[in-house]
Amino acid sequence: MFKRSFSLLLSLAVLGSLFFSAPSYAAEPYHTAKNPEEFKRMIVNAMKNHEPALRILYTGSEQLVGPNDPMKMIGNELRFKPENNYLSRNATYGYDMSYDDNIDHYIHNFRFDYFLTKDEQAFVDRQSDAILKEILKPGMTTEEKVRAINQYVVDHVEYDDATYEGTSVTLHSYSAYGALHGLAVCEGYTSIMQTLFDKAGIPSYIVTGTVYGPNGEGHAWNLVNVDGIWRYVDATWNDGQDFTWDDDYLYINASVNFLIRDGRVWDWQDYPLTPDSPAAETVDRSQEDKLSVEAVRKNDRTYLIMYGVNEMDDIVVYDENKEPRAQARVYPDYMHNIDGENVFELDLTVELSYSHEFEGKFYVTHASEHRQESDPVLVEYDFRADSKPISPSQITFEGDYMYINGSFGYSGDLYIYDRSGKLVFTDSIADNEDTMLIPLAGLPSKGTVSISAQRYFGKESPKTVIALPDEKQTKPSSRTEVDVYLDGERLAFDVPARTMGGYTMVPLRKIFEELGAAVEWDDKTRTVTATKGNIRLTYTVGEKHAFKNNQKIALASPGVIRNGSTLVPLRFVSESLGNEVYWEPYTRTVYISSSN
């Protein structure tokens, strides 16, 4: 909806910060204030005159604490008095107290920094007068004046993306001076709006808060009095608006309620209320609409299903560190009514398409009409879909290339490992890609490789072992011992795997234990039992069959005992626990891919 994100107000972010430490003031004169009103007036006058510093000796009987605390006083004086509000846009200040031995009293010390020089401020005044003379016509209503000022700013100011992104910071972009030169961030927009409102005699404030919820970005906009009715105007977001409704701007004449539903958070009770918003006491922040959330997988995507939402609610998804990761507005076209309850579906697979690591635990909030953002609802759901393994039938070789054929059905990554388990090739899988073309030049010259796939939000699939074309090796090795690799790791046996009677025989206990099965041996019956999850295997040495959960499995050759180890045909490993097994005859190597 909007062209850009927006920055936190730098001047107000540092307003009132103590940016200097205990300098010497002995040679500087001080002024004497007899009451808090004089104290405030001296500070305001110093800022209006662009004074760099001010020292005040306070002699009044009313203590400068509580509401009369110097920092609170000056903040309220600048923030909530329209006639002084413009000062906060052009100055930052620091404050401390120092003890003066000559008068045996504490002195209140202020230092001021200004975005604009006196000459630059004079330019703003002259240019603003000329703009108003151009755009305001006799007989205009206050609302027409507000719209004309908003339109002028939208037409003549561009957002300073470089300053917002920090690549080339221009301090003038935080001021009306920068806006009048055509480039500004949100503070510059609000500053020129406020200057034009002031000169047009329209009471207004600059408002600061956050967008996208309480943990969102800092932002600023204006509050303006239109013939006795207070309304909010945001020229920055009006400038970023890609469309208008009924030829109107979305962020002009906005109410408190609208901005709350829009996900903005600010101390709105400190400002005049808009007439169509509830009074402060009717907005009960402690009574939040209850949100029910569940995560489901449908059509190869993950969705958040939210119950109890309303039109134009704002939904925010946070990770387990409470960092916002996705946001959505509940538009009517995407909301359903099921059994009398409003239901909204958010496609997380799309919303988090660039956040594959986001998994397991997350929080969801919403901000509905008359409410601030609700307490977060915890959702625990591992929506990492299992990745489908690459089938050997999908792989062919032609010339200098390996072809993986057949639609993958998802976006993700492909991995190829050499015999030692080292990653030698990776490439991204496009959504519903039909064929992947892999140059053999980047793979080992002979032997085997393991191939796996990993979808976005997914776990890496089991590895599939594939023999590479090998023109140099024309006949198998004559040795009888066999090497066994499990998921790329070579297994060491007390009794090695070997070829016997034309069959490859492997040690049952070692391999099954490496695959996570518990193995028991009954010496009397010479029966071995392996249990993994809900699978129970039993085999009696010498028999040509075994049992898997009481179902008979035929063995190509009976098992034998050699030096205390039970050897069984290689294929039994695949058929019993469902693992991918590949026999590479030229190097006499077995490759096993676990199902984990």
Side-chain angles (χ1 to χ4, degrees):
M1 176 176 177
F2 301 106
K3 296 179 181 177
R4 60 180 77 88
S5 298
F6 307 98
S7 68
L8 179 66
L9 297 168
L10 285 191
S11 68
L12 294 184
V14 298
L15 188 65
S17 61
L18 303 182
F19 58 82
F20 58 97
S21 58
S24 173
Y25 300 96
E28 299 180 18
Y30 58 80
H31 301 269
T32 301
K34 300 176 182 178
N35 54 60
E37 288 301 318
E38 282 190 1
F39 192 96
K40 288 187 292 186
R41 188 164 54 250
M42 288 178 181
I43 298 173
V44 171
N45 288 337
M47 296 179 72
K48 288 180 177 179
N49 294 324
H50 269 68
E51 297 291 341
L54 175 67
R55 304 183 71 220
I56 303 176
L57 168 64
Y58 181 71
T59 61
S61 59
E62 190 174 354
Q63 294 186 8
L64 297 181
V65 296
N68 290 329
D69 175 84
M71 297 295 284
K72 290 183 179 179
M73 274 200 301
I74 188 59
N76 292 334
E77 191 74 10
L78 300 183
R79 184 179 180 188
F80 299 119
K81 285 193 176 181
E83 66 272 19
N84 295 329
N85 190 249
Y86 77 97
L87 294 172
S88 66
R89 306 191 308 273
N90 189 38
T92 62
Y93 64 86
Y95 163 79
D96 72 0
M97 289 194 303
S98 61
Y99 190 77
D100 192 321
D101 292 327
N102 296 324
I103 60 174
D104 193 24
H105 213 289
Y106 281 97
I107 300 294
H108 299 266
N109 307 299
F110 290 86
R111 284 286 187 271
F112 307 102
D113 279 340
Y114 302 94
F115 281 132
L116 303 182
T117 65
K118 286 186 177 182
D119 290 341
E120 289 170 339
Q121 184 62 53
F123 171 85
V124 171
D125 293 335
R126 291 194 307 271
Q127 193 70 12
S128 298
D129 290 337
I131 291 170
L132 292 177
K133 186 176 181 180
E134 173 189 345
I135 66 175
L136 300 187
K137 308 301 180 183
M140 271 188 171
T141 65
T142 304
E143 181 174 355
E144 290 172 335
K145 293 178 181 179
V146 170
R147 290 181 178 275
I149 291 171
N150 173 81
Q151 190 65 55
Y152 181 89
V153 172
V154 168
D155 288 342
H156 291 81
V157 183
E158 291 293 328
Y159 193 84
D160 188 354
D161 291 301
T163 292
Y164 165 72
E165 294 167 358
T167 57
S168 179
V169 177
T170 302
L171 288 181
H172 277 155
S173 292
Y174 294 90
S175 69
Y177 184 84
L180 289 174
H181 283 79
L183 200 62
V185 291
C186 61
E187 185 183 0
Y189 278 82
T190 55
S191 294
I192 188 57
M193 291 284 286
Q194 189 77 2
T195 299
L196 295 172
F197 288 149
D198 290 346
K199 288 183 173 292
I202 303 173
S204 60
Y205 296 94
I206 286 181
V207 179
T208 59
T210 61
V211 291
Y212 310 129
N215 297 318
E217 295 183 0
H219 187 47
W221 56 97
N222 298 89
L223 176 63
V224 60
N225 188 295
V226 182
D227 296 326
I229 300 175
W230 289 97
R231 293 286 187 174
Y232 288 91
V233 180
D234 189 338
T236 314
W237 279 33
N238 285 334
D239 191 22
Q241 186 173 312
D242 289 331
F243 61 88
T244 59
W245 293 344
D246 299 325
D247 298 323
D248 198 0
Y249 284 99
L250 187 60
Y251 293 93
I252 195 167
N253 288 340
S255 68
V256 168
N257 276 347
F258 175 80
L259 294 186
I260 289 176
R261 294 200 312 271
D262 194 51
R264 303 198 181 197
V265 178
W266 76 105
D267 294 329
W268 55 267
Q269 299 97 328
D270 294 336
Y271 299 93
L273 288 175
T274 59
D276 55 344
S277 67
E281 61 270 14
T282 68
V283 180
D284 187 353
R285 299 186 182 199
S286 65
Q287 298 297 320
E288 298 158 348
D289 294 333
K290 298 301 180 183
L291 183 67
S292 176
V293 185
E294 63 176 322
V296 299
R297 175 160 291 277
K298 299 191 304 181
N299 301 323
D300 220 25
R301 295 185 182 275
T302 297
Y303 292 85
L304 279 185
I305 311 297
M306 286 159 278
Y307 300 87
V309 296
N310 302 299
E311 292 183 11
M312 303 306 289
D313 278 3
D314 280 306
I315 306 297
V316 184
V317 181
Y318 299 88
D319 62 20
E320 59 183 326
N321 296 319
K322 303 298 179 65
E323 293 294 330
R325 300 291 292 276
Q327 181 176 3
R329 175 71 55 78
V330 181
Y331 290 108
D333 291 345
Y334 298 95
M335 188 171 67
H336 312 285
N337 191 284
I338 301 177
D339 296 331
E341 188 170 21
N342 291 331
V343 180
F344 176 69
E345 294 187 3
L346 177 62
D347 188 344
L348 280 183
T349 304
V350 173
E351 294 294 331
L352 302 176
S353 60
Y354 297 102
S355 302
H356 318 319
E357 74 281 4
F358 185 48
E359 63 188 49
K361 178 187 294 185
F362 50 97
Y363 299 86
V364 183
T365 69
H366 77 142
S368 62
E369 189 174 8
H370 309 320
R371 299 285 187 268
Q372 293 288 346
E373 191 173 27
S374 64
D375 287 335
V377 176
L378 173 64
V379 180
E380 295 188 84
Y381 176 80
D382 188 352
F383 54 84
R384 299 176 302 165
D386 289 335
S387 304
K388 300 175 183 177
I390 304 297
S391 171
S393 63
Q394 292 179 258
I395 300 174
T396 59
F397 296 94
E398 184 176 334
D400 296 327
Y401 294 94
M402 173 195 294
Y403 291 83
I404 303 182
N405 307 289
S407 174
F408 292 93
Y410 55 84
S411 299
D413 295 295
L414 182 81
Y415 305 106
I416 301 181
Y417 303 87
D418 65 14
R419 290 177 55 187
S420 68
K422 179 182 177 182
L423 181 66
V424 294
F425 180 87
T426 183
D427 198 2
S428 59
I429 303 171
D431 197 14
N432 293 315
E433 187 169 5
D434 291 329
T435 302
M436 291 194 70
L437 185 64
I438 301 167
L440 292 175
L443 304 180
S445 59
K446 62 181 181 179
T448 60
V449 292
S450 301
I451 303 178
S452 65
Q454 183 171 14
R455 65 185 307 151
Y456 291 161
F457 306 111
K459 305 171 185 177
E460 187 173 352
S461 71
K463 297 180 177 66
T464 299
V465 179
I466 298 295
L468 296 171
D470 184 5
E471 298 178 356
K472 298 177 182 178
Q473 192 94 26
T474 58
K475 62 180 181 179
S477 169
S478 60
R479 70 187 180 98
T480 59
E481 292 188 358
V482 174
D483 292 330
V484 179
Y485 283 81
L486 173 60
D487 293 335
E489 297 288 336
R490 186 175 185 275
L491 300 182
F493 303 105
D494 294 334
V495 177
R498 63 185 65 199
T499 301
M500 300 175 64
Y503 296 99
T504 301
M505 309 291 284
V506 295
L508 184 148
R509 174 182 287 273
K510 176 68 174 180
I511 292 178
F512 274 25
E513 287 180 341
E514 289 289 340
L515 289 170
V519 181
E520 298 178 0
W521 168 256
D522 188 332
D523 194 48
K524 291 183 179 179
T525 61
R526 294 162 56 89
T527 299
V528 62
T529 302
T531 305
K532 181 180 180 183
N534 58 359
I535 297 176
R536 178 181 174 84
L537 301 165
T538 58
Y539 174 65
T540 301
V541 176
E543 299 288 343
K544 293 192 67 173
H545 61 267
F547 291 92
K548 179 179 179 180
N549 293 342
N550 296 322
Q551 291 185 347
K552 184 181 289 188
I553 300 175
L555 273 67
S557 175
V560 297
I561 296 178
R562 289 291 184 271
N563 297 329
S565 292
T566 301
L567 304 182
V568 295
L570 169 63
R571 194 56 51 191
F572 178 56
V573 175
S574 173
E575 294 176 350
S576 58
L577 294 179
N579 301 287
E580 293 280 347
V581 177
Y582 178 75
W583 164 245
E584 207 276 322
Y586 296 103
T587 59
R588 305 193 62 75
T589 303
V590 173
Y591 294 93
I592 303 172
S593 296
S594 74
S595 58
N596 294 326

